[in-house]
Amino acid sequence: MKENIHPNYKPVVFQDLSSDFAFLTRSTMSSKETVKWEDGNEYPVIKLDITSHSHPFYTGKQKTLDVGGRVDKFRQRYGKK
């Protein structure tokens, strides 16, 4: 394997700012900010606006818009008679 061509793959904490949810995983991303994790070690932290913990689709709070009838109204108004 060639040396110095692969990115540095290390543990990183991703933190959801909207729900204070955080998870530790491995990534090639880096950050100057660090956070002390539950195991006592310090890891770089990447702050995210939204994750699966706060996204409406995954939390079950997703609302669907009422689109029924819009196509029919359009066809009635502009369609062939």
Side-chain angles (χ1 to χ4, degrees):
M1 185 181 324
K2 291 184 180 179
E3 296 290 325
N4 300 325
I5 63 167
H6 300 286
N8 189 10
Y9 191 65
K10 60 190 176 301
V12 176
V13 173
F14 287 92
Q15 182 181 16
D16 187 344
L17 296 177
S18 63
S19 65
D20 291 333
F21 174 70
F23 58 95
L24 177 66
T25 187
R26 295 179 56 86
S27 176
T28 57
M29 295 182 73
S30 62
S31 174
K32 293 181 181 179
E33 296 181 58
T34 60
V35 66
K36 192 167 190 171
W37 192 242
E38 299 161 355
D39 62 1
N41 295 328
E42 283 199 17
Y43 298 105
V45 62
I46 306 293
K47 296 183 178 181
L48 304 170
D49 292 330
I50 194 162
T51 63
S52 62
H53 193 262
S54 62
H55 192 280
F57 178 79
Y58 296 106
T59 60
K61 297 178 182 176
Q62 182 177 10
K63 297 177 183 175
T64 57
L65 297 174
D66 182 21
V67 294
R70 290 185 184 181
V71 174
D72 294 332
K73 286 180 186 178
F74 179 82
R75 287 184 179 158
Q76 285 177 356
R77 197 176 291 169
Y78 303 107
K80 294 181 182 179
K81 294 181 182 179

